[in-house]
Amino acid sequence: PNILGAKLDIPLTIAIQNECDLEIIDMLVKAGAFLDEVDRNDQTALGYEVDSMPAEYVSLLLDAGANPNVLHGEDCRPLLVLAAGYEEPEMFELLMAQKNIDINMQGKKGNTALIMASWEGYEDRVCALLKAGADPDIVPDDDLTAMASAIENGHVGVAKVLMEAGVLLGGKINDGPILHYLIESKKHHDLFFVLVESEKLHLEEKN
């Protein structure tokens, strides 16, 4: 089941790309198909599954031992980062259940699953990631930390969860401190009040 073509076409990824029945995928896996082999698109079977296939396909590959810590696409984002931003929770939950999942794995631009979940406003996922040991202080290339991501998008609930976990106002928004952004922004004053009331803002902070 691992006969490769001239351009590294891999039977398992071919079957997945062609949306073959789960039974066929299962047969290839049981026959010893390479689970983590990268094809000509720099993609593994699990990478294709997480991006477009039903959760039962992902579950099958994970149960067979596929590596959940693979990078996806040209921007090299970890699968957990992708799943953290999906509207449906199944993929995220499947990956989080893996004992060997790298919670803090970063993509090419430095983003993590916690940053993605904070950006999208998924409080439950932020809680789950923090409980699993996600580092809220990781700063990606654009300086939008988990806290900065939540604040820029007006996700008050996520900001509160992060504050309750002891997260400080690290990172920048529009190349300036978060506090300055909150003061200048006309659409996030509610977050400013929340932060002041929680005593998370040190107004005496020097420039």
Side-chain angles (χ1 to χ4, degrees):
N2 294 311
I3 299 175
L4 306 181
K7 294 184 178 180
L8 292 179
D9 287 320
I10 299 171
L12 183 57
T13 58
I14 291 173
I16 290 169
Q17 285 181 284
N18 285 278
E19 301 182 1
C20 291
D21 292 339
L22 185 63
E23 182 180 4
I24 293 177
I25 306 298
D26 187 39
M27 288 177 63
L28 287 169
V29 169
K30 289 179 177 178
F34 293 142
L35 295 173
D36 298 323
E37 189 74 22
V38 176
D39 68 8
R40 62 176 175 175
N41 297 316
D42 294 322
Q43 190 63 274
T44 66
L46 188 56
Y48 284 117
E49 296 282 28
V50 169
D51 189 45
S52 61
M53 301 293 279
E56 56 263 30
Y57 286 71
V58 176
S59 180
L60 187 156
L61 292 175
L62 288 172
D63 290 344
N67 179 15
N69 301 309
V70 296
L71 299 175
H72 176 82
E74 295 181 358
D75 53 358
C76 297
R77 287 185 293 175
L79 298 182
L80 185 61
V81 173
L82 288 171
Y86 288 166
E87 182 176 354
E88 298 299 326
E90 287 83 2
M91 299 298 184
F92 176 77
E93 293 170 355
L94 280 171
L95 291 170
M96 285 291 289
Q98 303 307 302
K99 294 182 179 179
N100 61 333
I101 191 72
D102 185 348
I103 296 294
N104 293 309
M105 190 174 182
Q106 295 174 264
K108 185 177 181 180
K109 297 180 180 179
N111 287 316
T112 65
L114 182 62
I115 291 172
M116 177 63 75
S118 298
W119 177 268
E120 295 293 343
Y122 294 125
E123 293 179 41
D124 56 339
R125 299 180 199 181
V126 169
C127 289
L129 286 162
L130 289 171
K131 186 177 180 180
D135 183 355
D137 298 321
I138 290 176
V139 182
D141 293 351
D142 60 7
D143 289 327
L144 286 175
T145 59
M147 179 65 84
S149 296
I151 289 175
E152 182 169 24
N153 285 315
H155 299 311
V156 179
V158 171
K160 286 182 177 180
V161 168
L162 291 169
M163 285 187 294
E164 290 170 359
V167 179
L168 301 177
L169 294 180
K172 297 180 180 180
I173 298 178
N174 298 335
D175 295 322
I178 290 178
L179 174 57
H180 295 183
Y181 173 80
L182 285 170
I183 293 174
E184 295 169 358
S185 174
K186 295 182 180 180
K187 58 182 180 179
H188 296 316
H189 283 173
D190 53 342
L191 270 172
F192 175 78
F193 295 135
V194 168
L195 292 169
V196 170
E197 291 173 358
S198 67
E199 299 181 349
K200 291 294 181 181
L201 288 181
H202 300 287
L203 301 181
E204 72 279 5
E205 180 181 1
K206 297 180 181 180
N207 295 324

